[in-house]
Amino acid sequence: MTDNVPEQEPTAAPAAPVAAASAPQALQQPETGDSAPVAIAEAAAAADAQQRGHRPPRGGRGGRNSGRDRSRAQGQAPAGPQAPSRTPPRTHPVLEQLAGLYPHLFGAVFLPLKRGIFQDLLEAHPELFERDALKVALGIHTRSTRYLQSVAAGEKRHDLAGQPVEDMAPEHVHHALLEVFRRRKARAGEDVLPKLRKRMIQAFETSGLTREAYTELVTGRDEAANAILQEAFAEWAVRNAKDEALLRAFEASGQTLEAFADMYGMDPRQTGQMLERARRQRPPAAAD
C-alpha cells in the first residue's frame, strides 16, 4: 500500500481462520466502534434486571410488589425503571461529508478505492478535511463489510470521478473473501466453507495465474486459511477431470451439443459451459 491511511483491504491473512467455531471478539463489535460502549451498558443493565427479577418477592398485603402484581393481573406494564434504549450506530462525520461529495463511492454502493485516494482527497479539499480525521474515516470505511464485499467481488479500483483505473490485486481479493466469509459465519453461524471454496476457485480463475503462482501470492501465516485454499484447489482439480472426461466423450460421439446433452439427460446450456471450460483448461497444442 502506498496510502498514508490504514490498509484499504487486507494484505495479510485474517487473524482467525474462517473455520473457527466462533468469531474473535473484535468482529462481534459494531464496525464503527461508536456503539460498543452502549452494547456493554445494555448487557450490564440486562444482567442487573435479571438479578432483580430473581429476588424473592416481599409479600404482604401492603408489600412493595402488591401494586406491581395488580398491574400485571390487569394487563398493565408495571411502573419502574425502563430498559435503556439502543442507540443507533453513528456515522463518522467525515464519512457523511464524503458520501455527500462522492455518492458514487461512499453512498448506497461502495466501490474499491484507488491507491493514493487519501492524498487525492486532501488535495481536492485542502480546507475541508483534517488529515487525521480523514485517515480515521477511511480506515473505518475500508474495513467495513460492504467495502470488503466489493473487493472480494474483484471489482476494479476507482478514482474520485468514479472511473475504474486499476485492477484489484489477486491477493487483496483472496484475503477480502476470507474476511467477508469469516464475518458471515460469526454472525449467522452457517457453514460457509462450500461457498467460500467456490468463490476462491472463481477468484483464482479470474486472476489468470497458474496454480503455483497464485498459491505463492496469496498464502499467508494462517494455516487454516491456507488449508481451505488447498481444499478449493482439490475441488477444482476434480471438477476439471470431470469436464475433460465429458469433452472427450462429446468429441468421440460426433453428435451435436443438443443431442449429446439429451443422451446424458443434461441441460444443453450447462453442458456447453462445461465443455468450454474443459477446452480452456487444455494446454495449448505444441507447434509443429
Side-chain angles (χ1 to χ4, degrees):
M1 289 296 181
T2 58
D3 297 353
N4 294 320
V5 295
E7 291 181 339
Q8 293 181 359
E9 57 281 304
T11 56
V18 178
S22 60
Q25 184 177 2
L27 289 182
Q28 297 173 4
Q29 299 290 346
E31 291 163 0
T32 61
D34 292 322
S35 55
V38 176
I40 296 172
E42 289 175 350
D48 184 54
Q50 183 179 15
Q51 183 179 7
R52 288 199 306 271
H54 283 85
R55 288 176 181 170
R58 298 184 181 179
R61 196 166 188 177
R64 293 186 181 181
N65 291 333
S66 58
R68 194 177 306 170
D69 294 339
R70 284 196 299 271
S71 297
R72 291 195 182 98
Q74 295 171 3
Q76 301 174 356
Q82 298 295 321
S85 59
R86 179 177 292 276
T87 302
R90 293 171 297 172
T91 303
H92 194 285
V94 173
L95 288 178
E96 294 179 349
Q97 292 177 303
L98 290 171
L101 292 168
Y102 305 100
H104 48 280
L105 295 178
F106 300 91
V109 178
F110 287 5
L111 292 175
L113 305 174
K114 70 178 284 286
R115 286 175 284 192
I117 201 79
F118 173 70
Q119 194 62 37
D120 292 349
L121 285 166
L122 288 178
E123 293 175 359
H125 307 280
E127 304 299 328
L128 182 60
F129 295 124
E130 192 272 328
R131 187 181 186 88
D132 290 341
L134 179 61
K135 184 184 299 185
V136 171
L138 287 178
I140 293 172
H141 178 76
T142 56
R143 287 192 299 269
S144 70
T145 299
R146 288 173 60 196
Y147 183 85
L148 290 173
Q149 286 171 338
S150 70
V151 175
E155 297 190 46
K156 292 180 179 290
R157 294 181 179 274
H158 292 68
D159 61 14
L160 292 180
Q163 297 300 313
V165 293
E166 56 182 320
D167 291 332
M168 184 62 63
E171 63 270 27
H172 294 165
V173 175
H174 176 78
H175 294 307
L177 273 173
L178 287 169
E179 181 63 16
V180 167
F181 276 85
R182 184 163 66 100
R183 295 182 186 187
R184 183 176 299 174
K185 177 179 176 61
R187 292 169 182 170
E190 61 178 312
D191 183 10
V192 300
L193 290 180
K195 294 179 182 178
L196 176 57
R197 290 193 293 264
K198 182 178 179 180
R199 292 287 303 276
M200 281 182 168
I201 292 173
Q202 292 173 347
F204 158 64
E205 291 180 330
T206 301
S207 73
L209 298 172
T210 64
R211 174 174 174 172
E212 293 73 17
Y214 188 85
T215 300
E216 183 177 358
L217 186 65
V218 305
T219 297
R221 297 179 180 178
D222 189 336
E223 294 302 328
N226 297 338
I228 294 171
L229 176 62
Q230 295 309 311
E231 291 170 3
F233 276 132
E235 292 184 4
W236 173 74
V238 170
R239 188 205 68 185
N240 289 347
K242 291 180 179 178
D243 290 347
E244 176 63 22
L246 187 70
L247 178 58
R248 290 181 180 179
F250 172 70
E251 292 173 341
S253 71
Q255 298 183 3
T256 65
L257 173 63
E258 290 72 17
F260 179 79
D262 183 66
M263 181 174 63
Y264 284 93
M266 300 175 64
D267 176 67
R269 182 169 176 236
Q270 182 181 17
T271 303
Q273 292 173 344
M274 295 172 67
L275 295 175
E276 182 58 30
R277 195 166 56 199
R279 294 187 183 100
R280 291 197 303 267
Q281 291 298 327
R282 281 183 170 177
D288 293 337

